[in-house]
Amino acid sequence: MKKIRNFVIIAHIDHGKSTLADRFLELTHAVEKRKMQEQYLDQMELERERGITIKMQPVTMAYSVDGESYTLNLIDTPGHVDFSYEVSRSLAAVEGAILLVDATKGIQAQTVAHLTTAIEQKLKIIPVINKIDLPQSEPDVAEEEILNLLLSLDYDIGDVHRISAKTGEGIKELLDDVVRQVPAPEQKTEAPLRALIFDSMYDDYQGVISHVRIVEGKIKPGDDIFFMASKEKSESKEVGIFSPQRIQKDGLQAGDIGYIVGGIKDIELAGIGDTITLANNKSESSIPGYRQPQAVVFSTIFTKEDSNYEDLRDALEKLKLSDAALYFEPESSPVLGRGFKTGFLGMLHMEIILERMRREYGLELVVTSPSVAYNVAMKSGETITVFTPSQYPDPSIIEGAQEPWVFLRIIVQPEYMNNVMNLLKTIRGLYKDTEYIGSDRIRINYEAPLADIISDFYDNLKNTTSGYGSMSYEITGYRPVDIVKLDILLAGEPVAALARMVPKDYAEKEGRKLAEKIKNVLPAEQFAVAIQAAVGGKIVARETRSAMRKDVTAGLYGGDYTRKRKQLEKQKKGKKRLKEQGKVDLDTDTLMKIFQ
Ligand code: GDP
Ligand code: MG
């Protein structure tokens, strides 16, 4: 029987997961030296540019310990809170987790969040302290924090590894220990097939490519397969493993992590969390699936040109094939035209999706202010969910509205406690308590409306804690709120994309804050722009973005007066036209700057 070990690397963002994966790939010769590049598993262009992992990536490696050969299946995971859903899915496919902690930062919010889920899933945890090569690293402090955290979660503590994913120190010892400590998967190869789909991607020719953990049984190309949740029958066209590129194999069996091409074109029929079994030898029960991820931020997306509407639909459908968390449905607005109401897991998720639409699909977009979902009870007895200001019902027909609240945990060094408390005073919410985790780290527990932490709260937290503070949150329920619509007018004209729903008591403050922000990020126009915020027709704030005279004659040499005059006249006409239209052109970049 094949000796297999399946494990993930979990950590807060930037603690070195992808770099550690690089060292494993080198050590096991999984990637040729000349092809090796930093954070090798971050293959998406956007991931490489931003230096973050967005999608989990499995890879199979061959490795020998104590004279025995092993097949190692590693899954590298994203660390950002928006992508926790990816992490939780990968955990269901493995038996062990390397918990990586940066020795210069110690335990941060996502460390705790991911570890908690890994322990719930009964995974073997291998705690590791990374970046010990850095002079400012404090491995002893980090170790104490890790041990305290494991204790608080009732997990048996053992040795903590100390490594440098950069220099390679301690890497071999770590991988050897993974092999010795992570339990082998069960390998009931004779049972009927049960393959858990933990991820998927889409290929224009092959259709859906399901990433699977074979829990029981075996599969080979040509087998008749059955998707237990969708009840779809099909045939296995190809099976294989990740190296991390796809490599075809003759078969996969219990314990393996790999992929199955099932000839399915409709992603809904081969959904993430579904179980694949054999059509003529069905398993009795499917593997428990995944909780559908909850979109928390909503925005309506339009194309600049209405004629590109179908391209937008096409892009969203394609993106959804590799991103199950993306939610959208058609919506039209009298001002902005036809678009899609779109749900995201957070602001980073939104930014990434918009950027991919621009890059991979060449779409020029207009997006509306991101919003949480409000539950609005109508006097008629009906309850509706509203994400978009234009759909917020007239106050006279509303009984009451509710908004989502979260339990917020902020982890930081005690010296920043005051700064964090001051920051928390700027949002609505309720202080709960503060706990010590380790001797130099506290966790502040707070309850707050989701709406108040989705935009710039995280950035402000980073700023006020010299980058040390981190946070995680979960939605706990809905509470009443009195909502009004805040309109933004540029050059006297309401800009539909900038309207937002705000709590009544905060409308004026929000209006002022927003007007000032817009003033600072608005691209220099050729004419002065009045920026106004209004509630129910009443102006609550006003700013002016002064004109910047673009020197249109700069490119012209010497005394060519005729051309110079022509250029200046053209500019004058342009200004007049813009003024008449009262239109200020906002690109996606500017809109995102305003929203964040
Ligand atoms: P991830 O977000 O957890 O995947 O983290 P990455 O692997 O992308 O690493 C984040 C940053 O930390 C990168 O700039 C890495 O080069 C750096 N890094 C990772 N491990 C080490 C280490 O052991 N020592 C040092 N000095 N830097 C490291
Ligand atoms: Mg990474």
Side-chain angles (χ1 to χ4, degrees):
M1 188 139 323
K2 230 174 23 171
K3 294 188 185 308
I4 303 174
R5 296 292 183 269
N6 298 318
F7 63 104
V8 291
I9 310 178
I10 51 175
H12 193 81
I13 195 163
D14 271 352
H15 283 210
K17 294 176 292 294
S18 301
T19 308
L20 175 58
D22 288 349
R23 297 294 84 74
F24 288 158
L25 293 174
E26 278 173 5
L27 185 62
T28 60
H29 309 291
V31 176
E32 279 178 63
K33 248 219 164 82
R34 61 183 179 89
K35 288 197 181 151
M36 194 64 203
Q37 46 178 343
E38 278 176 36
Q39 284 102 31
Y40 187 84
L41 294 182
D42 291 342
Q43 305 226 326
M44 214 189 286
E45 180 187 284
L46 250 184
E47 291 182 315
R48 301 210 60 81
E49 229 168 74
R50 299 200 170 200
I52 55 167
T53 310
I54 298 165
K55 269 206 81 66
M56 66 168 124
Q57 176 66 56
V59 60
T60 300
M61 304 172 286
Y63 190 60
S64 291
V65 178
D66 306 329
E68 300 269 11
S69 302
Y70 291 86
T71 299
L72 305 184
N73 292 310
L74 159 69
I75 305 180
D76 182 26
T77 63
H80 192 276
V81 55
D82 283 12
F83 304 112
S84 299
Y85 174 62
E86 291 269 315
V87 182
S88 69
R89 287 193 340 248
S90 67
L91 295 178
V94 298
E95 284 77 33
I98 291 181
L99 176 74
L100 200 63
V101 176
D102 183 332
T104 66
K105 301 213 182 87
I107 280 179
Q108 293 195 271
Q110 292 310 306
T111 321
V112 183
H114 297 324
L115 175 64
T116 310
T117 329
I119 291 179
E120 275 165 16
Q121 303 249 6
K122 308 226 175 340
L123 300 192
K124 174 74 194 176
I125 309 294
I126 315 263
V128 179
I129 293 166
N130 188 29
K131 306 199 188 179
I132 55 167
D133 60 290
L134 289 174
Q136 71 272 33
S137 78
E138 295 184 299
D140 292 337
V141 177
E143 176 158 338
E144 188 205 326
E145 286 173 13
I146 293 177
L147 295 177
N148 279 334
L149 178 61
L150 288 170
L151 269 179
S152 74
L153 294 168
D154 273 336
Y155 188 86
D156 283 342
I157 53 177
D159 287 343
V160 181
H161 284 264
R162 296 187 178 194
I163 64 160
S164 165
K166 186 155 211 155
T167 67
E169 186 180 345
I171 300 297
K172 184 177 181 324
E173 295 75 5
L174 171 59
L175 196 55
D176 289 356
D177 203 35
V178 166
V179 171
R180 295 191 188 113
Q181 291 210 44
V182 172
E186 273 198 81
Q187 286 169 276
K188 292 189 194 156
T189 49
E190 296 313 313
L193 175 70
R194 292 211 293 170
L196 169 69
I197 305 179
F198 64 87
D199 199 7
S200 72
M201 48 191 232
Y202 194 84
D203 181 281
D204 282 341
Y205 300 102
Q206 292 185 294
V208 181
I209 299 169
S210 303
H211 298 195
V212 294
R213 160 68 192 270
I214 312 290
V215 176
E216 284 172 357
K218 47 190 170 204
I219 179 169
K220 56 182 190 320
D223 283 346
D224 288 324
I225 54 175
F226 180 71
F227 294 82
M228 296 184 80
S230 68
K231 309 213 175 340
E232 179 74 4
K233 263 193 194 160
S234 185
E235 186 194 298
S236 144
K237 307 274 184 212
E238 181 185 321
V239 304
I241 58 168
F242 299 96
S243 82
Q245 288 74 29
R246 295 198 301 275
I247 296 189
Q248 282 192 43
K249 290 275 164 189
D250 299 337
L252 292 174
Q253 60 179 46
D256 284 340
I257 288 178
Y259 70 89
I260 299 175
V261 178
I264 304 269
K265 293 284 178 189
D266 179 354
I267 190 85
E268 306 278 327
L269 299 175
I272 287 172
D274 203 343
T275 302
I276 302 177
T277 189
L278 294 182
N280 43 24
N281 183 15
K282 286 195 187 126
S283 170
E284 304 252 303
S285 60
S286 55
I287 303 152
Y290 299 106
R291 205 162 32 96
Q292 198 39 41
Q294 280 284 317
V296 295
V297 180
F298 299 85
S299 171
T300 312
I301 303 181
F302 304 89
T303 48
K304 279 228 163 114
E305 305 291 329
D306 192 57
S307 55
N308 290 335
Y309 174 76
E310 291 303 330
D311 298 336
L312 174 59
R313 176 198 297 277
D314 197 47
L316 282 167
E317 279 170 357
K318 288 236 168 75
L319 284 169
K320 186 163 174 69
L321 295 174
S322 61
D323 186 347
L326 182 64
Y327 152 91
F328 61 92
E329 65 179 60
E331 184 189 295
S332 67
S333 138
V335 189
L336 294 166
R338 292 178 300 164
F340 290 90
K341 186 190 290 178
T342 315
F344 306 94
L345 300 174
M347 290 301 284
L348 179 65
H349 187 215
M350 173 168 173
E351 206 186 317
I352 298 277
I353 292 284
L354 293 179
E355 183 66 16
R356 289 187 66 185
M357 290 216 262
R358 194 174 66 76
R359 273 184 205 212
E360 295 168 30
Y361 300 91
L363 289 170
E364 286 224 57
L365 304 171
V366 175
V367 294
T368 63
S369 281
S371 166
V372 300
Y374 295 96
N375 285 342
V376 183
M378 314 289 287
K379 287 193 169 138
S380 65
E382 190 193 2
T383 298
I384 57 169
T385 306
V386 183
F387 318 112
T388 340
S390 64
Q391 298 197 331
Y392 204 80
D394 190 83
S396 62
I397 55 170
I398 289 178
E399 192 64 53
Q402 296 209 318
E403 65 177 333
W405 275 60
V406 299
F407 196 90
L408 175 67
R409 297 183 179 88
I410 294 173
I411 296 185
V412 76
Q413 282 89 335
E415 61 261 40
Y416 294 108
M417 168 110 184
N418 270 338
N419 292 6
V420 174
M421 292 310 287
N422 284 333
L423 173 64
L424 286 169
K425 279 187 203 139
T426 66
I427 65 170
R428 296 171 292 154
L430 297 168
Y431 170 76
K432 302 302 285 183
D433 56 6
T434 301
E435 314 162 58
Y436 262 88
I437 52 168
S439 54
D440 192 31
R441 193 84 49 180
I442 52 171
R443 177 156 71 198
I444 302 167
N445 296 320
Y446 205 79
E447 285 181 320
L450 176 64
D452 289 20
I453 62 163
I454 54 170
S455 55
D456 53 1
F457 183 77
Y458 186 61
D459 285 340
N460 293 339
L461 175 67
K462 286 274 166 206
N463 289 338
T464 198
T465 60
S466 315
Y468 283 109
S470 61
M471 66 181 223
S472 66
Y473 62 83
E474 72 229 10
I475 295 180
T476 47
Y478 281 72
R479 298 185 195 176
V481 60
D482 197 359
I483 289 291
V484 292
K485 188 174 155 212
L486 181 67
D487 286 312
I488 296 293
L489 294 82
L490 295 186
E493 291 292 318
V495 180
L498 292 176
R500 57 178 68 190
M501 294 168 282
V502 292
K504 193 172 170 201
D505 297 344
Y506 287 76
E508 221 179 294
K509 190 175 141 202
E510 266 296 304
R512 277 199 304 270
K513 202 171 117 186
L514 198 57
E516 200 187 320
K517 201 165 182 186
I518 294 171
K519 177 179 150 190
N520 292 331
V521 301
L522 209 59
E525 288 291 336
Q526 296 171 18
F527 56 97
V529 182
I531 305 160
Q532 293 163 306
V535 175
K538 182 177 162 247
I539 305 294
V540 296
R542 188 197 160 92
E543 294 277 349
T544 307
R545 173 81 172 89
S546 48
M548 189 181 175
R549 186 169 172 273
K550 198 161 133 200
D551 191 356
V552 287
T553 61
L556 303 174
Y557 295 104
D560 189 346
Y561 284 108
T562 0
R563 281 179 64 200
K564 216 168 186 171
R565 218 189 52 225
K566 267 190 184 154
Q567 284 290 351
L568 286 169
E569 242 147 49
K570 224 164 103 193
Q571 186 189 34
K572 223 161 144 188
K573 266 194 200 146
K575 279 188 183 184
K576 186 157 175 273
R577 187 169 45 82
L578 280 165
K579 237 180 180 158
E580 274 165 3
Q581 291 183 343
K583 258 208 167 156
V584 183
D585 210 15
L586 299 175
D587 55 24
T588 328
D589 251 16
T590 312
L591 285 169
M592 281 312 283
K593 275 189 206 141
I594 295 171
F595 298 155
Q596 278 173 341

